Coordinates of all heavy atoms in Angstrom, one line a residue:
M163 N 0.8 -1.2 0.0 CA 0.0 0.0 0.0 C 0.8 1.3 0.0 O 0.4 2.3 -0.3 CB -0.9 0.0 1.2 CG -2.1 -0.9 1.1 SD -3.2 -0.6 -0.3 CE -3.9 0.9 0.2
Y164 N 2.1 1.1 0.3 CA 3.0 2.3 0.4 C 2.9 3.1 -0.9 O 2.6 4.3 -0.9 CB 4.4 1.9 0.7 CG 5.4 3.1 0.6 CD1 5.3 4.1 1.5 CD2 6.3 3.2 -0.5 CE1 6.2 5.2 1.5 CE2 7.1 4.2 -0.5 CZ 7.1 5.2 0.4 OH 8.0 6.3 0.3
N165 N 3.1 2.5 -2.1 CA 3.1 3.2 -3.3 C 2.5 2.4 -4.5 O 2.7 2.7 -5.6 CB 4.5 3.7 -3.7 CG 5.4 2.6 -4.0 OD1 5.1 1.4 -3.9 ND2 6.7 2.9 -4.3
S166 N 1.8 1.3 -4.2 CA 1.2 0.4 -5.1 C 2.2 -0.3 -6.0 O 1.8 -0.8 -7.1 CB 0.1 1.1 -5.9 OG -0.9 1.7 -5.1
E167 N 3.4 -0.3 -5.7 CA 4.5 -1.0 -6.5 C 4.4 -2.5 -6.3 O 4.3 -2.9 -5.1 CB 5.8 -0.4 -6.1 CG 7.0 -1.1 -6.8 CD 8.3 -0.5 -6.3 OE1 8.4 0.3 -5.4 OE2 9.3 -1.0 -6.8
I168 N 4.5 -3.2 -7.4 CA 4.6 -4.7 -7.3 C 6.1 -5.0 -7.0 O 7.0 -4.7 -7.7 CB 4.2 -5.4 -8.6 CG1 2.7 -5.1 -8.8 CG2 4.4 -6.8 -8.5 CD1 2.1 -5.5 -10.1
I169 N 6.3 -5.7 -5.9 CA 7.7 -6.0 -5.4 C 8.2 -7.3 -6.1 O 9.3 -7.4 -6.5 CB 7.7 -6.1 -3.9 CG1 7.3 -4.9 -3.2 CG2 9.1 -6.5 -3.4 CD1 8.2 -3.7 -3.5
S170 N 7.3 -8.3 -6.2 CA 7.7 -9.5 -6.8 C 6.4 -10.3 -7.2 O 5.4 -10.0 -6.6 CB 8.6 -10.4 -6.0 OG 7.9 -11.0 -4.9
Y171 N 6.6 -11.3 -8.1 CA 5.5 -12.1 -8.4 C 6.1 -13.4 -9.0 O 7.2 -13.4 -9.5 CB 4.5 -11.5 -9.4 CG 5.1 -11.2 -10.7 CD1 4.9 -12.1 -11.8 CD2 5.8 -10.0 -11.0 CE1 5.4 -11.8 -13.0 CE2 6.3 -9.8 -12.2 CZ 6.1 -10.7 -13.3 OH 6.6 -10.4 -14.5
E172 N 5.3 -14.4 -9.1 CA 5.6 -15.7 -9.7 C 4.4 -16.3 -10.3 O 3.3 -16.2 -9.7 CB 6.2 -16.6 -8.6 CG 6.9 -17.9 -9.2 CD 8.2 -17.7 -9.9 OE1 8.9 -16.7 -9.5 OE2 8.6 -18.5 -10.7
I173 N 4.5 -16.8 -11.5 CA 3.3 -17.4 -12.2 C 3.5 -18.9 -12.3 O 4.6 -19.4 -12.5 CB 3.2 -16.8 -13.6 CG1 2.9 -15.3 -13.5 CG2 2.0 -17.5 -14.4 CD1 2.9 -14.6 -14.8
S174 N 2.4 -19.6 -12.0 CA 2.4 -21.1 -12.1 C 1.1 -21.6 -12.6 O 0.1 -21.0 -12.5 CB 2.7 -21.6 -10.6 OG 2.6 -23.0 -10.6
K175 N 1.2 -22.8 -13.2 CA -0.1 -23.4 -13.7 C -0.8 -24.1 -12.6 O -2.0 -24.5 -12.8 CB 0.3 -24.4 -14.8 CG 0.8 -23.8 -16.1 CD 1.0 -24.8 -17.2 CE 1.5 -24.1 -18.4 NZ 1.6 -25.0 -19.5
H176 N -0.2 -24.4 -11.5 CA -0.8 -25.1 -10.4 C -0.6 -24.4 -9.1 O 0.5 -23.8 -8.8 CB -0.2 -26.5 -10.3 CG -0.3 -27.3 -11.6 ND1 -1.4 -27.8 -12.0 CD2 0.7 -27.6 -12.5 CE1 -1.2 -28.4 -13.2 NE2 0.1 -28.3 -13.5
P177 N -1.6 -24.4 -8.2 CA -1.5 -23.8 -6.9 C -0.7 -24.6 -5.9 O -1.2 -25.3 -5.1 CB -2.9 -23.7 -6.4 CG -3.6 -24.8 -7.1 CD -2.9 -25.1 -8.4
T178 N 0.7 -24.4 -6.0 CA 1.5 -25.1 -5.0 C 2.3 -24.1 -4.2 O 2.4 -22.9 -4.6 CB 2.5 -26.0 -5.8 OG1 3.4 -25.2 -6.6 CG2 1.8 -27.1 -6.6
L179 N 3.0 -24.5 -3.2 CA 3.7 -23.6 -2.3 C 5.0 -23.1 -3.0 O 5.5 -22.0 -2.7 CB 4.1 -24.3 -1.0 CG 4.6 -23.5 0.1 CD1 3.7 -22.3 0.4 CD2 4.8 -24.3 1.3
E180 N 5.6 -23.9 -3.9 CA 6.9 -23.5 -4.5 C 6.9 -22.1 -5.2 O 7.8 -21.3 -4.8 CB 7.3 -24.6 -5.5 CG 8.7 -24.3 -6.1 CD 9.1 -25.3 -7.2 OE1 8.4 -26.4 -7.3 OE2 10.1 -25.1 -7.8
P181 N 6.0 -21.8 -6.1 CA 6.0 -20.5 -6.7 C 5.8 -19.3 -5.7 O 6.3 -18.2 -5.8 CB 5.0 -20.5 -7.7 CG 4.1 -21.6 -7.4 CD 4.9 -22.6 -6.7
I182 N 5.0 -19.6 -4.6 CA 4.7 -18.6 -3.6 C 6.0 -18.3 -2.8 O 6.3 -17.2 -2.5 CB 3.6 -19.1 -2.7 CG1 2.3 -19.2 -3.6 CG2 3.3 -18.2 -1.5 CD1 1.2 -20.0 -3.0
L183 N 6.8 -19.4 -2.5 CA 8.0 -19.2 -1.8 C 9.0 -18.5 -2.6 O 9.8 -17.7 -2.1 CB 8.6 -20.5 -1.3 CG 7.8 -21.2 -0.2 CD1 8.3 -22.6 0.1 CD2 7.7 -20.4 1.1
K184 N 9.0 -18.8 -4.0 CA 9.9 -18.1 -4.9 C 9.6 -16.6 -4.9 O 10.5 -15.7 -4.9 CB 9.8 -18.6 -6.3 CG 10.5 -19.9 -6.5 CD 10.4 -20.4 -8.0 CE 11.0 -21.7 -8.2 NZ 10.8 -22.1 -9.6
A185 N 8.4 -16.2 -4.9 CA 8.0 -14.8 -4.9 C 8.4 -14.1 -3.6 O 8.8 -13.0 -3.6 CB 6.5 -14.7 -5.2
L186 N 8.2 -14.9 -2.5 CA 8.6 -14.3 -1.2 C 10.1 -14.1 -1.2 O 10.6 -13.0 -0.8 CB 8.2 -15.3 -0.1 CG 8.7 -14.8 1.3 CD1 8.1 -13.5 1.7 CD2 8.3 -15.9 2.3
D187 N 10.9 -15.0 -1.7 CA 12.4 -14.9 -1.8 C 12.8 -13.6 -2.6 O 13.7 -12.9 -2.2 CB 13.0 -16.1 -2.3 CG 13.0 -17.3 -1.4 OD1 12.9 -17.1 -0.1 OD2 13.2 -18.4 -1.8
K188 N 12.1 -13.4 -3.7 CA 12.4 -12.3 -4.5 C 12.0 -11.0 -3.8 O 12.8 -10.0 -3.8 CB 11.6 -12.3 -5.8 CG 12.0 -13.3 -6.8 CD 11.1 -13.3 -8.1 CE 11.4 -14.4 -9.0 NZ 10.4 -14.5 -10.1
A189 N 10.9 -11.0 -3.1 CA 10.5 -9.8 -2.4 C 11.5 -9.5 -1.2 O 11.8 -8.3 -1.0 CB 9.1 -10.0 -1.8
I190 N 11.9 -10.5 -0.6 CA 12.9 -10.3 0.5 C 14.2 -9.7 -0.1 O 14.8 -8.8 0.5 CB 13.2 -11.6 1.2 CG1 12.0 -12.0 2.1 CG2 14.4 -11.5 2.1 CD1 12.0 -13.4 2.7
E191 N 14.6 -10.2 -1.2 CA 15.9 -9.7 -1.8 C 15.7 -8.2 -2.2 O 16.6 -7.4 -2.0 CB 16.2 -10.5 -3.1 CG 17.5 -10.2 -3.6 CD 18.7 -10.5 -2.7 OE1 18.6 -11.5 -1.9 OE2 19.7 -9.8 -2.8
V192 N 14.6 -7.9 -2.8 CA 14.3 -6.5 -3.2 C 14.3 -5.5 -2.0 O 14.7 -4.4 -2.1 CB 13.0 -6.4 -4.0 CG1 12.6 -5.0 -4.3 CG2 13.2 -7.1 -5.4
T193 N 13.7 -6.0 -0.9 CA 13.5 -5.1 0.2 C 14.6 -5.1 1.2 O 14.6 -4.4 2.2 CB 12.2 -5.4 0.9 OG1 12.2 -6.8 1.3 CG2 11.0 -5.2 0.0
K194 N 15.6 -5.9 1.0 CA 16.8 -6.0 2.0 C 17.5 -4.7 2.2 O 18.1 -4.5 3.2 CB 17.8 -7.1 1.5 CG 17.4 -8.4 2.1 CD 18.6 -9.4 1.8 CE 18.2 -10.7 2.5 NZ 19.2 -11.7 2.3
I195 N 17.5 -3.9 1.2 CA 18.2 -2.6 1.3 C 17.6 -1.6 2.3 O 18.2 -0.7 2.8 CB 18.3 -1.9 -0.1 CG1 17.0 -1.6 -0.6 CG2 19.1 -2.7 -1.0 CD1 17.0 -0.7 -1.9
N196 N 16.3 -1.9 2.6 CA 15.6 -1.0 3.6 C 16.0 -1.4 5.0 O 16.1 -2.5 5.3 CB 14.1 -1.2 3.5 CG 13.6 -0.6 2.2 OD1 14.1 0.3 1.7 ND2 12.5 -1.3 1.7
K197 N 16.3 -0.4 5.8 CA 16.7 -0.6 7.2 C 15.5 -0.4 8.1 O 15.7 -0.3 9.3 CB 17.8 0.3 7.5 CG 19.0 0.2 6.7 CD 19.7 -1.2 6.8 CE 20.9 -1.2 6.0 NZ 21.3 -2.6 5.6
V198 N 14.3 -0.4 7.6 CA 13.1 -0.2 8.4 C 12.5 -1.6 8.7 O 12.8 -2.6 8.1 CB 12.1 0.7 7.7 CG1 12.7 2.1 7.5 CG2 11.6 0.1 6.4
K199 N 11.6 -1.6 9.7 CA 10.9 -2.8 10.1 C 9.9 -3.1 8.9 O 9.1 -2.2 8.5 CB 10.1 -2.5 11.4 CG 9.3 -3.7 11.8 CD 10.2 -4.6 12.6 CE 9.3 -5.7 13.3 NZ 9.8 -7.0 13.3
I200 N 9.9 -4.3 8.4 CA 9.0 -4.7 7.3 C 7.9 -5.5 7.9 O 8.0 -6.4 8.7 CB 9.8 -5.6 6.3 CG1 10.9 -4.8 5.7 CG2 8.9 -6.1 5.2 CD1 11.8 -5.5 4.8
I201 N 6.7 -5.1 7.4 CA 5.4 -5.8 7.8 C 4.9 -6.4 6.5 O 4.7 -5.7 5.5 CB 4.4 -4.9 8.4 CG1 5.0 -4.3 9.7 CG2 3.1 -5.6 8.7 CD1 4.1 -3.3 10.3
F202 N 4.6 -7.7 6.5 CA 4.0 -8.4 5.3 C 2.5 -8.7 5.6 O 2.2 -9.4 6.5 CB 4.7 -9.7 5.0 CG 4.1 -10.4 3.8 CD1 4.5 -10.1 2.6 CD2 3.2 -11.4 4.0 CE1 4.0 -10.8 1.5 CE2 2.6 -12.0 2.9 CZ 3.0 -11.7 1.7
H203 N 1.6 -8.0 4.8 CA 0.2 -8.2 5.1 C -0.4 -9.1 4.0 O -0.1 -8.9 2.8 CB -0.5 -6.9 5.1 CG -2.0 -7.0 5.4 ND1 -2.5 -7.2 6.6 CD2 -3.0 -7.0 4.5 CE1 -3.8 -7.3 6.6 NE2 -4.1 -7.2 5.3
S204 N -1.3 -10.0 4.4 CA -1.9 -10.9 3.4 C -3.3 -11.3 4.0 O -3.7 -11.0 5.1 CB -1.1 -12.2 3.2 OG -1.1 -13.0 4.3
D205 N -4.0 -12.1 3.1 CA -5.2 -12.7 3.6 C -4.8 -13.9 4.4 O -3.7 -14.2 4.6 CB -6.2 -12.9 2.5 CG -5.7 -13.9 1.4 OD1 -4.8 -14.7 1.7 OD2 -6.2 -13.8 0.3
Q206 N -5.8 -14.7 4.8 CA -5.6 -16.0 5.5 C -5.5 -17.2 4.7 O -5.8 -18.3 5.1 CB -6.6 -16.2 6.6 CG -6.6 -15.1 7.7 CD -7.5 -15.4 8.8 OE1 -7.9 -16.6 9.1 NE2 -7.9 -14.4 9.6
G207 N -5.0 -17.0 3.4 CA -4.9 -18.1 2.5 C -4.0 -19.2 3.0 O -3.1 -19.0 3.8
W208 N -4.2 -20.4 2.5 CA -3.4 -21.6 3.0 C -1.9 -21.4 2.9 O -1.2 -21.8 3.8 CB -3.8 -22.9 2.3 CG -3.5 -22.8 0.8 CD1 -4.3 -22.4 -0.2 CD2 -2.3 -23.3 0.2 NE1 -3.7 -22.5 -1.4 CE2 -2.5 -23.0 -1.2 CE3 -1.1 -23.8 0.6 CZ2 -1.5 -23.3 -2.1 CZ3 -0.1 -24.1 -0.3 CH2 -0.3 -23.8 -1.6
A209 N -1.5 -20.8 1.8 CA 0.0 -20.6 1.6 C 0.6 -19.7 2.6 O 1.7 -20.0 3.1 CB 0.2 -20.1 0.2
Y210 N -0.1 -18.7 3.0 CA 0.5 -17.7 4.0 C 0.5 -18.2 5.4 O 1.1 -17.6 6.3 CB -0.3 -16.4 3.9 CG -0.4 -15.9 2.5 CD1 -1.6 -15.6 1.9 CD2 0.7 -15.6 1.8 CE1 -1.7 -15.2 0.6 CE2 0.7 -15.1 0.5 CZ -0.5 -14.9 -0.1 OH -0.6 -14.4 -1.4
Q211 N -0.2 -19.4 5.6 CA -0.2 -20.0 6.9 C 0.7 -21.2 6.9 O 0.9 -21.8 8.0 CB -1.6 -20.4 7.3 CG -2.6 -19.3 7.4 CD -3.9 -19.7 7.8 OE1 -4.1 -20.5 8.8 NE2 -5.0 -19.2 7.2
A212 N 1.3 -21.6 5.8 CA 2.2 -22.8 5.7 C 3.4 -22.5 6.6 O 4.0 -21.4 6.6 CB 2.6 -23.0 4.3
K213 N 3.9 -23.6 7.2 CA 5.0 -23.5 8.1 C 6.3 -22.9 7.4 O 7.0 -22.1 8.0 CB 5.3 -24.8 8.8 CG 6.4 -24.8 9.9 CD 6.0 -23.9 11.0 CE 7.0 -23.9 12.1 NZ 6.8 -22.8 13.1
Q214 N 6.5 -23.4 6.2 CA 7.7 -22.9 5.4 C 7.6 -21.4 5.2 O 8.6 -20.7 5.2 CB 7.8 -23.7 4.1 CG 7.9 -25.1 4.1 CD 6.6 -25.9 4.0 OE1 5.6 -25.5 4.6 NE2 6.6 -26.9 3.2
Y215 N 6.4 -20.9 5.0 CA 6.2 -19.5 4.7 C 6.4 -18.7 5.9 O 7.2 -17.7 6.0 CB 4.8 -19.3 4.1 CG 4.7 -18.0 3.3 CD1 5.0 -18.0 2.0 CD2 4.3 -16.8 4.0 CE1 4.9 -16.8 1.3 CE2 4.2 -15.6 3.3 CZ 4.5 -15.6 1.9 OH 4.4 -14.5 1.2
T216 N 5.7 -19.1 7.0 CA 5.8 -18.3 8.2 C 7.2 -18.4 8.8 O 7.7 -17.4 9.4 CB 4.8 -18.8 9.3 OG1 5.0 -20.2 9.6 CG2 3.3 -18.5 8.8
S217 N 7.9 -19.5 8.7 CA 9.2 -19.6 9.2 C 10.2 -18.7 8.4 O 11.1 -18.1 9.1 CB 9.7 -21.1 9.1 OG 9.0 -21.9 9.9
K218 N 10.0 -18.6 7.1 CA 10.9 -17.7 6.3 C 10.7 -16.3 6.8 O 11.7 -15.6 6.9 CB 10.5 -17.9 4.8 CG 11.4 -17.1 3.9 CD 12.8 -17.6 3.9 CE 13.6 -17.0 2.8 NZ 15.0 -17.4 2.8
L219 N 9.5 -15.9 7.0 CA 9.2 -14.5 7.4 C 9.9 -14.3 8.8 O 10.6 -13.2 9.0 CB 7.7 -14.2 7.6 CG 6.9 -14.1 6.3 CD1 5.5 -14.0 6.6 CD2 7.4 -13.0 5.4
E220 N 9.8 -15.2 9.7 CA 10.4 -15.1 11.0 C 11.9 -15.0 10.9 O 12.5 -14.2 11.6 CB 9.9 -16.3 11.9 CG 10.3 -16.1 13.3 CD 9.7 -17.3 14.2 OE1 8.6 -17.7 13.9 OE2 10.5 -17.7 15.1
E221 N 12.5 -15.9 10.1 CA 13.9 -15.9 9.9 C 14.5 -14.6 9.5 O 15.6 -14.1 9.8 CB 14.4 -17.0 8.9 CG 14.2 -18.4 9.3 CD 14.4 -19.3 8.2 OE1 15.0 -19.0 7.1 OE2 14.0 -20.5 8.3
E222 N 13.7 -13.9 8.6 CA 14.1 -12.6 8.0 C 13.7 -11.4 8.9 O 14.0 -10.3 8.5 CB 13.5 -12.5 6.6 CG 14.0 -13.5 5.6 CD 15.4 -13.4 5.3 OE1 16.0 -12.2 5.4 OE2 16.0 -14.4 4.9
G223 N 13.1 -11.7 10.0 CA 12.7 -10.6 10.9 C 11.5 -9.8 10.4 O 11.4 -8.6 10.7
I224 N 10.7 -10.4 9.6 CA 9.5 -9.7 9.0 C 8.3 -10.0 9.8 O 8.0 -11.2 10.1 CB 9.3 -10.2 7.5 CG1 10.6 -9.8 6.7 CG2 8.1 -9.6 6.9 CD1 10.6 -10.4 5.3
T225 N 7.5 -9.0 10.2 CA 6.3 -9.2 10.9 C 5.2 -9.6 10.0 O 5.0 -8.9 9.0 CB 5.9 -7.9 11.7 OG1 7.0 -7.5 12.5 CG2 4.7 -8.0 12.4
Q226 N 4.5 -10.6 10.3 CA 3.4 -11.1 9.4 C 2.1 -10.5 10.0 O 1.8 -10.5 11.2 CB 3.3 -12.6 9.4 CG 2.2 -13.1 8.5 CD 2.2 -14.6 8.3 OE1 2.7 -15.3 9.2 NE2 1.7 -15.1 7.2
S227 N 1.3 -9.9 9.1 CA 0.0 -9.4 9.4 C -1.1 -10.0 8.5 O -0.8 -10.2 7.3 CB 0.0 -7.9 9.1 OG -1.3 -7.3 9.1
M228 N -2.2 -10.4 9.1 CA -3.2 -11.1 8.3 C -4.6 -10.4 8.5 O -4.9 -9.9 9.5 CB -3.4 -12.5 8.6 CG -2.3 -13.4 8.1 SD -2.8 -15.1 8.4 CE -1.4 -15.9 7.6
S229 N -5.4 -10.4 7.4 CA -6.7 -9.9 7.5 C -7.6 -10.7 8.5 O -7.3 -11.9 8.7 CB -7.4 -10.1 6.1 OG -6.7 -9.5 5.1
R230 N -8.6 -10.1 8.9 CA -9.6 -10.9 9.7 C -10.3 -11.8 8.8 O -10.5 -11.6 7.6 CB -10.5 -9.9 10.4 CG -9.9 -9.0 11.4 CD -10.8 -8.0 11.9 NE -11.1 -7.1 10.8 CZ -12.0 -6.1 10.9 NH1 -12.8 -6.0 11.9 NH2 -12.2 -5.3 9.9
K231 N -10.7 -13.0 9.3 CA -11.4 -14.0 8.5 C -12.7 -13.4 8.0 O -13.4 -12.8 8.7 CB -11.7 -15.2 9.4 CG -12.2 -16.4 8.6 CD -12.3 -17.6 9.5 CE -12.8 -18.8 8.6 NZ -12.7 -20.0 9.3
G232 N -12.9 -13.6 6.7 CA -14.1 -13.2 6.0 C -14.2 -11.7 5.8 O -15.3 -11.2 5.6
N233 N -13.1 -10.9 6.0 CA -13.2 -9.5 5.8 C -12.2 -9.0 4.8 O -11.1 -8.6 5.1 CB -13.0 -8.8 7.2 CG -13.4 -7.3 7.1 OD1 -13.5 -6.8 6.1 ND2 -13.5 -6.8 8.3
C234 N -12.6 -9.1 3.5 CA -11.6 -8.8 2.4 C -11.3 -7.3 2.4 O -10.2 -6.9 1.9 CB -12.2 -9.2 1.1 SG -13.8 -8.3 0.7
L235 N -12.0 -6.5 3.1 CA -11.7 -5.0 3.1 C -10.4 -4.8 3.9 O -9.8 -3.8 3.7 CB -12.9 -4.2 3.7 CG -14.2 -4.3 2.9 CD1 -15.3 -3.5 3.7 CD2 -14.0 -3.7 1.6
D236 N -10.0 -5.7 4.8 CA -8.8 -5.5 5.5 C -7.6 -5.5 4.5 O -6.6 -4.9 4.8 CB -8.5 -6.7 6.5 CG -9.4 -6.6 7.7 OD1 -10.0 -5.5 7.9 OD2 -9.4 -7.6 8.5
N237 N -7.7 -6.2 3.4 CA -6.5 -6.2 2.5 C -6.2 -4.9 1.9 O -5.1 -4.6 1.4 CB -6.8 -7.2 1.4 CG -6.6 -8.7 1.9 OD1 -6.0 -8.9 2.9 ND2 -7.3 -9.6 1.2
G238 N -7.2 -4.0 1.9 CA -6.9 -2.6 1.3 C -6.2 -1.7 2.3 O -5.9 -0.6 2.0
L239 N -6.0 -2.1 3.5 CA -5.4 -1.2 4.6 C -4.0 -1.4 4.6 O -3.4 -2.3 4.4 CB -6.1 -1.5 5.9 CG -7.6 -1.4 6.0 CD1 -8.1 -1.8 7.3 CD2 -8.0 0.1 5.7

């Protein structure tokens, strides 16, 4: 929401965790130059709750933020 810039993305034919983790790795690399506290906001999708995903955020010192269940308007904040 800071400036509507797309930081990273990955395209896949199948909904698996691998492309999602690749996109996260790219985003971490792009944002490493910032010395500020990073907050990652998402919905409560299965991938964002996967142990591999949450562990990676924790390892990188990134705070995870999630929308309230059933409230898509949270994603705009």
Side-chain angles (χ1 to χ4, degrees):
M163 286 300 291
Y164 172 71
N165 65 358
S166 299
E167 178 182 2
I168 296 172
I169 301 297
S170 74
Y171 67 94
E172 189 73 26
I173 298 174
S174 175
K175 291 183 179 187
H176 304 286
T178 63
L179 191 55
E180 182 182 352
I182 296 165
L183 291 173
K184 284 183 182 179
L186 177 60
D187 287 339
K188 289 179 189 176
I190 289 169
E191 189 62 33
V192 168
T193 58
K194 270 190 175 181
I195 61 170
N196 293 327
K197 302 295 183 202
V198 297
K199 180 84 171 140
I200 297 174
I201 299 173
F202 180 85
H203 182 77
S204 70
D205 60 22
Q206 292 187 23
W208 64 269
Y210 307 121
Q211 296 182 48
K213 186 63 176 167
Q214 298 96 317
Y215 201 90
T216 58
S217 293
K218 183 69 172 178
L219 292 174
E220 190 175 319
E221 288 170 19
E222 296 292 334
I224 299 171
T225 301
Q226 186 173 23
S227 167
M228 285 190 175
S229 306
R230 294 172 291 172
K231 188 173 185 171
N233 194 343
C234 62
L235 298 177
D236 283 353
N237 286 336
L239 302 175

